[in-house]
């Protein structure tokens, strides 16, 4: 959950490091720091707060001259956000500098050992042990010291390392935290993620677990932790640099919401050929699809919410029993994965620690694992048996919008394909579903066009204290996402409830003026949810309803009604979530929150 960068080349390193960190700030923004070798020694500057504090402190990098350096943007785990706990961390003589993304789990034991040998620590972090341990093992051979450290530490790490005695070499190491190396004519780079290097190169090496990169200005070598040299192939990154920039929008979240029609279309169209769904990426024969006895979906946060939606659709269309679990629970509950269980791991980043651990566990237990992932080449994508990519492009705002929408589409396609193969829908029904699917991008566009109406409503409720989202069936799944979106970016307490559950306790919280957002897109459950809306209205709630076009009677039961265009009952989430995203966005703006970088959060949760 931190971002690391590094540069060695013919240009001044500091400004390249700051620029790279600005693309990684989504990974954490509690503090930032850089270290640059100036020809004599390693100089460092680091500060609590956003990257702009560091930029000001270093005059955009000018105070740290030199052509080799490393940088870090932090999401605090061990040690509060502070100047002292910011990275880089050093050995006592300041001749070894380290930046780290991950957690060293056995750092207390190592710290005690080092302290007994006279080492003194300047921070509360787990990372600092790496700097001192490198010092402990370093006898002139940096690679040897690094591999010894790798054998000694437990946990996850992507490390960027500078040795003052090796001023022409940058070292990087990875275990369970993402790391890439970019190769360019003017120098080489390391980073936690591709956007940090895209300005300089599209040629990237993905570093695998327990691999070391030894990088010089015009040369790079890769080793395993036994110091054996490895051969690696670079990958050409095809994204646009602009895709990771704001492009005129005030916030990444707003831009990404507006990119949803494209994300949906890009995820959909390559899989629709001559009126049929083609999912060769599943890597499964029709016999294997027919043999699936159960689907286990595992994910975190919003990705988990798409899993909850997918349960209704896979069970409804393909008639396969589906269980959904959050990855942090699944991995520790000794789950039963019987033969014939397909495990689906959903993740935008493809690096979420709990989801990755769940994937590994499922594979060890003998299940086939399908990943639904947005970031090409990410750990989850690489380790799964097959990958269904969502083509949402880089998502920067911490609150996911377009990746969530693309994940829904991937599940619709999967459910329809399985239903077709297993004969649980007719070809005629399938053709109608496909036509409905194709309309989703323009329907989302229509809803985005209505944003001012939602903004007006949001402006009236910026001071709300508690908000309840209610719905039944797929509407409950939509409620989960609407509630998370609101709370994560506006800091308003909100909860999602299966509408029928209200009477079993929660309705006691409804009082005059409590805001309730009711989802009513499932026609067969409509009347039931209307009754729940009436119940909360009677107790003083203000109700915002989101329902299908034509349900105008909802206006007499609600204070405000938003209509979504007509679509198949299985696809309503794709439309109903849009006003909820906009609502959360405008409330967040109205409260003066940092929409793209909400407090305490990070985009990519690479620690458990
Ligand atoms: O990268 P992932 O999809 O695995 O991330 C999972 C969650 O951390 C993520 O969806 C999170 O809940 C978002 N901030 C929600 O907007």
């Amino acid at each position: 959950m931190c971002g690391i960068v590094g540069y060695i080349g013919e240009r001044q390193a500091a400004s390249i490091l700051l620029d790279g960190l600005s693309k990684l700030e989504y990974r954490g923004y509690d503090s930032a720091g850089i270290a640059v070798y100036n020809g004599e020694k390693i100089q460092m500057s680091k500060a609590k707060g956003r990257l702009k504090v560091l930029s000001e402190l270093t005059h955009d990098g000018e105070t740290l001259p030199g052509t080799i350096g490393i940088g870090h943007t932090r999401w605090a785990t061990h040690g509060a956000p502070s100047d002292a706990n910011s990275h880089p961390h050093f050995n006592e003589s300041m001749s070894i500098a380290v930046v780290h993304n991950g957690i060293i789990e056995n750092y207390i034991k190592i710290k005690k050992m080092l302290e007994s040998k006279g080492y003194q620590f300047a921070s509360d972090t787990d990372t600092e042990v790496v700097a001192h341990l490198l010092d402990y093992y370093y006898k002139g051979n940096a690679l040897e010291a690094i591999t010894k450290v790798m054998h000694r530490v437990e946990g996850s790490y992507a490390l960027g390392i500078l040795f003052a005695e090796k001023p022409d070499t940058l070292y990087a190491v990875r275990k369970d935290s993402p790391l890439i190396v970019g190769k360019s004519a003017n120098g080489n780079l390391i980073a936690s993620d591709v956007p940090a290097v895209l300005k300089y190169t599209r040629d990237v090496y993905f570093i695998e677990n327990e691999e070391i990169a030894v990088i010089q200005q015009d040369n790079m070598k890769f080793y395993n932790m036994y110091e054996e040299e490895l051969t690696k192939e670079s990958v050409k990154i095809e994204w646009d640099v602009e895709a990771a920039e704001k492009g005129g929008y005030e916030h990444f979240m707003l831009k990404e919401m507006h990119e949803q029609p494209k994300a949906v279309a890009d995820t959909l169209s390559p899989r629709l050929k001559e009126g049929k769904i083609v999912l060769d990426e599943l890597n499964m024969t029709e016999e294997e699809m027919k043999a699936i006895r159960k689907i286990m979906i595992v994910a975190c946060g919003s990705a988990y919410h798409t899993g909850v939606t997918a349960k209704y659709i896979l069970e409804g269309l393909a008639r396969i029993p589906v269980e959904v679990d959050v990855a942090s629970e699944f991995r520790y509950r000794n789950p039963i994965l019987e033969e014939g269980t397909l495990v689906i791991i959903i993740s935008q980043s493809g690096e979420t620690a709990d989801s990755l651990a769940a994937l590994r566990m499922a594979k060890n237990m003998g299940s086939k694992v399908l990943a639904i992932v947005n970031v090409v080449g990410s750990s989850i994508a690489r380790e799964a048996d097959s990958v269904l990519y969502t083509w949402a492009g880089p998502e920067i705002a911490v609150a996911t919008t377009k990746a969530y929408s693309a994940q829904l589409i991937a599940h619709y396609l999967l459910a329809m394909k399985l239903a077709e193969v297993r004969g649980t829908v007719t070809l005629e029904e399938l053709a109608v579903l496909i036509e409905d699917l194709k309309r989703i991008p323009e329907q989302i566009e229509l809803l985005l066009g209505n944003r001012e109406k939602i903004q007006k409503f949001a402006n009236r409720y910026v001071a709300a204290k508690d908000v309840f989202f209610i719905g039944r069936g797929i509407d409950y799944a939509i409620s989960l996402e609407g509630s998370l979106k609101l709370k994560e970016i506006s800091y308003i307490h909100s909860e999602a409830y299966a509408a029928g559950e209200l009477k079993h306790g929660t309705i006691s919280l409804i009082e005059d003026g409590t805001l309730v957002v009711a989802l009513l897109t499932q026609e067969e459950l409509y009347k039931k949810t209307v009754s729940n809306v009436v119940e909360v209205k009677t107790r003083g709630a203000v109700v915002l309803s989101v329902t299908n076009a034509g349900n105008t009677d909802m206006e007499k039961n609600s204070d405000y009604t938003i209509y979504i265009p007509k679509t198949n009952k299985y696809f309503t989430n794709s439309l109903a979530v849009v006003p909820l995203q906009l609502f959360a966005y405008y409330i967040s703006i109205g409260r003066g929150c940092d929409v793209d970088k909400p407090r305490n959060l990070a985009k990519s949760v690479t620690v458990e």
Side-chain angles (χ1 to χ4, degrees), residues 299-305 346-352 355 380 397-401 403 407 481 484-485 488 601-605:
C300 302
S302 294
Y304 166 76
H305 299 160
I346 315 165
S347 176
Q348 185 286 127
S349 62
E351 300 293 349
T352 303
S355 305
I380 292 176
V398 165
T400 181
T401 52
Q407 284 164 1
E481 178 60 7
L484 178 62
K485 217 77 309 167
E488 75 178 321
L601 290 173
K603 180 72 179 162
S604 191
V605 186

Side-chain angles (χ1 to χ4, degrees), residues 100-156:
H100 171 215
N101 169 32
I103 292 179
I104 306 299
E105 287 169 359
N106 58 343
Y107 81 102
I108 292 178
K109 202 168 148 200
I110 297 175
K111 193 170 176 176
K112 276 192 186 140
M113 181 280 286
L114 289 166
E115 279 172 339
S116 74
K117 309 236 177 271
Y119 282 87
Q120 287 187 4
F121 284 75
S123 77
D124 306 320
T125 65
D126 52 330
T127 304
E128 198 185 346
V129 300
V130 176
H132 293 300
L133 201 57
L134 280 167
D135 179 275
Y136 177 69
Y137 285 128
Y138 181 66
K139 306 277 179 279
N141 182 338
L143 186 60
E144 183 188 71
I146 289 170
T147 55
K148 283 190 171 157
V149 168
M150 289 169 82
H151 282 100
R152 188 84 190 237
V153 297
E154 289 163 16
S156 59

Side-chain angles (χ1 to χ4, degrees), residues 190-230:
I190 62 163
S192 298
D193 198 0
V194 174
V197 305
L198 271 187
K199 194 163 160 188
Y200 311 99
T201 182
R202 289 176 175 277
D203 294 321
V204 161
Y205 293 89
F206 288 94
I207 307 303
E208 304 286 342
N209 267 347
E210 299 180 341
E211 287 183 358
I212 306 156
V214 178
I215 305 162
Q216 297 182 319
Q217 180 171 332
D218 40 26
N219 182 29
M220 59 178 75
K221 288 187 172 165
F222 304 98
Y223 298 89
N224 64 19
M225 61 194 289
Y226 305 99
E227 294 182 54
E228 293 159 346
E229 195 172 340
L230 307 167

Side-chain angles (χ1 to χ4, degrees), residues 78-320:
H78 294 63
S82 68
D83 291 352
N85 290 333
S86 310
H87 299 213
H89 290 285
F90 287 82
N91 61 340
E92 263 172 74
S93 63
M94 301 278 290
S95 60
I96 302 173
V98 174
V99 287
H100 171 215
N101 169 32
I103 292 179
I104 306 299
E105 287 169 359
N106 58 343
Y107 81 102
I108 292 178
K109 202 168 148 200
I110 297 175
K111 193 170 176 176
K112 276 192 186 140
M113 181 280 286
L114 289 166
E115 279 172 339
S116 74
K117 309 236 177 271
Y119 282 87
Q120 287 187 4
F121 284 75
S123 77
D124 306 320
T125 65
D126 52 330
T127 304
E128 198 185 346
V129 300
V130 176
H132 293 300
L133 201 57
L134 280 167
D135 179 275
Y136 177 69
Y137 285 128
Y138 181 66
K139 306 277 179 279
N141 182 338
L143 186 60
E144 183 188 71
I146 289 170
T147 55
K148 283 190 171 157
V149 168
M150 289 169 82
H151 282 100
R152 188 84 190 237
V153 297
E154 289 163 16
S156 59
Y157 47 83
L159 299 167
I161 309 166
L162 279 187
F163 288 84
E165 285 188 13
K166 310 277 174 200
D168 61 347
T169 312
L170 173 65
Y171 298 86
V173 183
R174 171 205 163 136
K175 182 174 168 273
D176 290 340
S177 293
L179 179 68
I180 58 131
V181 172
K183 186 178 165 204
S184 93
N186 302 321
N188 297 317
L189 303 109
I190 62 163
S192 298
D193 198 0
V194 174
V197 305
L198 271 187
K199 194 163 160 188
Y200 311 99
T201 182
R202 289 176 175 277
D203 294 321
V204 161
Y205 293 89
F206 288 94
I207 307 303
E208 304 286 342
N209 267 347
E210 299 180 341
E211 287 183 358
I212 306 156
V214 178
I215 305 162
Q216 297 182 319
Q217 180 171 332
D218 40 26
N219 182 29
M220 59 178 75
K221 288 187 172 165
F222 304 98
Y223 298 89
N224 64 19
M225 61 194 289
Y226 305 99
E227 294 182 54
E228 293 159 346
E229 195 172 340
L230 307 167
T231 315
K232 287 184 81 70
E233 296 289 327
S234 65
V235 174
K236 197 148 255 15
I237 301 295
E238 305 291 353
W239 314 338
D240 290 343
V241 181
E242 300 79 55
E245 307 287 347
K246 275 192 207 149
Y249 286 92
E250 209 183 325
H251 297 100
F252 278 111
M253 185 180 174
L254 188 62
K255 175 184 175 244
E256 287 160 7
M257 282 190 277
H258 282 83
E259 286 172 344
Q260 288 181 110
K262 180 168 165 20
V264 165
D266 287 354
T267 304
L268 193 57
S269 30
R271 279 92 184 214
L272 293 182
K273 291 194 183 121
E274 293 161 13
K276 295 204 96 185
I277 293 171
V278 182
L279 288 182
D280 294 340
E281 309 109 291
L282 292 183
N283 232 344
M284 286 173 100
T285 62
E286 294 207 343
E287 279 56 46
E288 285 170 326
M289 291 189 212
K290 283 181 188 155
I292 299 172
R293 290 171 53 196
K294 183 180 155 184
I295 294 178
M296 177 78 232
I297 301 180
V298 187
C300 302
S302 294
Y304 166 76
H305 299 160
T306 62
V308 177
T309 310
K311 175 181 164 70
Y312 293 101
I313 302 168
L314 283 158
E315 289 188 342
L317 282 176
R319 306 303 296 149
I320 302 173

